[in-house]
Amino acid sequence: MRALCWNGVNDLRVETVSDPEIINPSDVILKVRLSTTCGSDLHLIDGLIPTMREGDVLGHEFMGEIVDVGREVTKVKRGDRVVVPSFISCGKCWYCQHDLYSLCDTTHPKPELQEPLLGYPTAGIYAYSHAFGGYSGAHAEYVRVPFADTDCFLVPDGVADDAALFISDAAPTGFMGADFCNIHQGDVIAVWGCGGVGLMAQQGAMILGAERVIAIDKYPERLAQAEAFGAIPLDFTKVDVIEALQELTGGRGPDACIDAVGMEADGTGVQKVYDGVKQALHLETDRGAALRQAMLAVRKGGTLSILGVYGVMDKFPLGLIMNKGITVRTAQQHGQAYVDRLLEYTQRGELTPAALATHRFSLEDSPKGYHMFKHKEDGCLRSVFVP
Amino acid sequence: MSDVESDANLEADAHASITIGKPAADLHALWLRPETQSRIWAHFADVRVVGDRTAEWVAKGPAGGEYRWQTLTKANSPNELSWSTLDKADVANQGVLTMRPAPGDRGTELYLDVRFDPPGGIVGKAISKMFHIVPREIVRTALYRFRALALTGEIARTDPQPAGRNGGTDH
């Protein structure tokens, strides 16, 4: 089959590789109908995350049709149109049973690579380096999905492929971020980042009853999309974000701040230069301008919900969190806990993830799709690949 | 790698613990099932059952080296299993698996102690050099795999799978 392979820093090529096969009895093989780019892929492509190997097939956000099933699979069958969260979860361990799916205790094929970094291995994830399991990805014609009964979710009629696609990752990640904010009546939620995850966090916060959602970014087309979703847009290159947030909240500050940016945050001024140099020298893999600003902006006793992906940030203003009594909530997406609900919201038109699909490419043109996505050309929010 | 990791390189003893959400009796029975040993140690050695509670181990070292031994496993009590190598082992070793109830609804805690006695009394670094893996990783990974098997009936694997190398497949 054809697949998009990582061959080194900024070296992506579509190559002919073998077809995936059923390995374990709970596996299925999916014929990929759509897959998409994620901001976190850029860390891999840029070489910021170690343990990638030349030839790794990329892609962790996808949906498709089941074409082959392992002998232990009972809930889904050949021909089902399904969406699959990017973390692989068994559904049987303590973490899965407590809805902490991305922390699954059994799906990491190489725990010894990750344990020294984190203390304990996380769940495996598709195409996210060998430290995260080394599973082959979904920018391909076919992909193997382990634990299909737990991880494959039937897409109902009335939810199109390009909406279901983002319920693989952007939507559950964003929605989980809003869920972490424990939203009460009257709450104002500020979201840093209007990429796929940020926009889904904004819609999620509205669904969960936020009084007002404020969206922070610098790209006009992304801010326009946030505004179309009902958020108040703030361009951080044009206004002082902290002042603007105080102004919009009667001086209280947002009740919760969501960081949907992570280590690709573009700051301004000296902090940006300093962070950029450190990153270039691999002194630390994070910049974190958005996170620092969110910590300052959030009201006393508020919640900081971190969705952006971070590596090792060794210089972190912990005193801000302590003295302001901030509650920090963060995780990689526990998608399996949210997917059914998100499919329902989508069916009812309350969640509109298809809006993220701004650009469509054939799988053969996927390197071009990543280039456009990375450089945010032509207002590219997400590149979608059709194998 | 942290300092803790490099220290682990010097150990010929390895200890690891894990909690599995199953009763001790189930885990005891699963450990003794012949195919279990070959599956949970596959990152380290080929284990083949050759008789009642005896198994033949072949561990591969770097540069094509092979180390062989046979083990005899004993059920000391419902909560304790142990094994030791028979005579003529290339690398003598012994292991003890102890089980205790975990608090609350968490199942059973497993404690695994393995001691390697390489020929000539070489200790430490030699073990990780011989096997290309440090003893601590050998036992931690085996327990991880055992938990996966106990809870799900399978062990996470990624081979064979598509990749743009080795002619299109990772083995």
Side-chain angles (χ1 to χ4, degrees):
Chain A
M1 67 170 184
R2 301 289 282 168
L4 178 66
C5 298
W6 182 92
N7 283 292
V9 174
N10 293 321
D11 183 359
L12 302 181
R13 283 176 247 158
V14 178
E15 298 175 33
T16 299
V17 299
S18 65
D19 288 357
E21 50 190 277
I22 303 270
I23 298 177
N24 276 327
S26 68
D27 295 351
V28 298
I29 302 297
L30 214 64
K31 184 179 197 310
V32 178
R33 287 168 69 99
L34 294 177
S35 65
T36 186
T37 54
C38 172
S40 64
D41 290 331
L42 300 178
H43 311 330
L44 307 174
I45 294 168
D46 291 344
L48 293 176
I49 293 186
T51 73
M52 285 294 287
R53 290 180 58 199
E54 289 176 17
D56 283 346
V57 178
L58 288 180
H60 64 253
E61 190 161 358
F62 59 101
M63 55 83 59
E65 180 189 328
I66 295 176
V67 293
D68 198 5
V69 297
R71 64 174 194 273
E72 296 289 332
V73 176
T74 58
K75 291 189 191 157
V76 289
K77 58 181 191 308
R78 251 187 216 100
D80 283 351
R81 187 171 67 111
V82 298
V83 57
V84 179
S86 49
F87 274 83
I88 300 166
S89 307
C90 74
K92 309 257 173 59
C93 70
W94 189 91
Y95 288 95
C96 287
Q97 301 210 324
H98 287 77
D99 281 353
L100 300 167
Y101 290 95
S102 68
L103 305 175
C104 174
D105 247 349
T106 72
T107 56
H108 200 310
K110 299 159 185 170
E112 68 280 3
L113 289 183
Q114 204 188 33
E115 224 162 9
L117 304 171
L118 301 182
Y120 309 90
T122 66
I125 171 173
Y126 300 95
Y128 205 72
S129 83
H130 290 262
F132 281 85
Y135 285 91
S136 190
H139 294 327
E141 292 175 73
Y142 299 94
V143 64
R144 167 188 166 235
V145 176
F147 296 109
D149 283 341
T150 301
D151 293 2
C152 289
F153 292 82
L154 214 54
V155 179
D157 292 343
V159 176
D161 284 1
D162 59 356
L165 168 62
F166 298 103
I167 296 176
S168 167
D169 193 338
T173 302
F175 192 86
M176 178 185 74
D179 194 28
F180 282 165
C181 297
N182 191 21
I183 295 169
H184 289 84
Q185 201 188 357
D187 278 1
V188 178
I189 311 297
V191 181
W192 274 254
C194 298
V197 171
L199 289 165
M200 290 294 96
Q202 292 158 26
Q203 271 201 331
M206 290 172 203
I207 290 170
L208 292 170
E211 176 73 26
R212 195 176 294 166
V213 174
I214 302 163
I216 301 153
D217 207 308
K218 70 172 179 181
Y219 295 99
E221 60 282 355
R222 293 186 175 204
L223 288 167
Q225 183 59 64
E227 195 170 15
F229 279 173
I232 299 166
L234 278 188
D235 180 341
F236 69 81
T237 63
K238 295 197 174 133
V239 297
D240 181 316
V241 171
I242 307 290
E243 269 179 31
L245 288 172
Q246 290 190 350
E247 196 61 35
L248 285 163
T249 57
R252 299 186 306 279
D255 296 282
C257 292
I258 300 176
D259 168 9
V261 178
M263 52 179 154
E264 53 286 273
D266 288 314
T268 49
V270 176
Q271 184 68 42
K272 180 181 180 177
V273 173
Y274 174 66
D275 285 347
V277 168
K278 279 198 300 188
Q279 196 169 27
L281 295 174
H282 294 278
L283 292 179
E284 68 180 33
T285 56
D286 299 316
R287 291 190 269 171
L291 184 58
R292 290 165 202 274
Q293 203 169 49
M295 288 163 65
L296 200 58
V298 72
R299 75 159 164 82
K300 294 179 288 180
T303 299
L304 179 62
S305 169
I306 305 173
L307 302 175
V309 172
Y310 289 91
V312 181
M313 184 188 281
D314 58 4
K315 198 171 165 188
F316 188 77
L318 191 61
L320 253 155
I321 291 177
M322 191 272 161
N323 287 302
K324 287 179 74 180
I326 298 170
T327 298
V328 177
R329 294 292 308 273
T330 182
Q332 293 276 12
Q333 64 142 332
H334 302 309
Q336 287 83 345
Y338 295 101
V339 170
D340 278 332
R341 192 173 164 186
L342 297 178
L343 286 166
E344 278 172 34
Y345 292 141
T346 306
Q347 212 172 10
R348 293 204 297 262
E350 294 167 35
L351 190 75
T352 55
L356 308 183
T358 55
H359 292 72
R360 195 175 264 254
F361 299 85
S362 68
L363 179 62
E364 294 300 321
D365 284 337
S366 54
K368 203 190 295 174
Y370 264 105
H371 182 87
M372 244 181 135
F373 172 64
K374 180 176 177 177
H375 299 286
K376 303 176 178 71
E377 289 172 1
D378 190 36
C380 181
L381 196 49
R382 283 296 184 92
S383 292
V384 172
F385 305 140
V386 190
Chain B
M1 286 287 158
S2 66
D3 292 345
V4 175
E5 284 304 301
S6 35
D7 284 346
N9 285 329
L10 299 171
E11 297 293 332
D13 293 352
H15 172 78
S17 50
I18 204 165
T19 298
I20 306 181
K22 290 268 180 189
D26 293 7
L27 301 173
H28 187 275
L30 178 63
W31 189 273
L32 290 176
R33 218 172 282 164
E35 69 275 15
T36 299
Q37 295 302 309
S38 66
R39 296 185 71 179
I40 69 171
W41 299 103
H43 57 293
F44 161 59
D46 293 328
V47 184
R48 193 170 54 89
V49 172
V50 291
D52 189 29
R53 308 253 165 118
T54 30
E56 164 97 11
W57 298 56
V58 183
K60 295 220 177 352
E66 269 189 6
Y67 304 95
R68 292 172 178 273
W69 60 84
Q70 288 202 342
T71 53
L72 176 66
T73 299
K74 289 180 193 164
N76 304 328
S77 76
N79 295 319
E80 190 183 289
L81 292 159
S82 66
W83 76 83
S84 53
T85 42
L86 302 175
D87 290 347
K88 297 181 189 162
D90 287 343
V91 183
N93 62 81
Q94 49 198 316
V96 181
L97 178 73
T98 316
M99 288 180 272
R100 278 186 229 153
D105 61 354
R106 288 168 174 77
T108 305
E109 295 174 355
L110 284 77
Y111 299 84
L112 180 59
D113 283 286
V114 178
R115 173 166 185 80
F116 292 97
D117 291 308
I122 318 162
V123 287
K125 228 164 193 163
I127 292 287
S128 51
K129 277 191 179 155
M130 286 169 80
F131 298 142
H132 222 140
I133 176 170
V134 299
R136 184 172 164 276
E137 278 181 10
I138 296 171
V139 296
R140 286 181 78 89
T141 301
L143 285 184
Y144 183 94
R145 295 165 71 98
F146 182 67
R147 177 174 58 198
L149 191 61
L151 295 176
T152 72
E154 56 189 67
I155 293 170
R157 275 178 53 193
T158 52
D159 55 319
Q161 72 171 358
R165 55 185 172 251
N166 314 320
T169 310
D170 258 358
H171 292 286

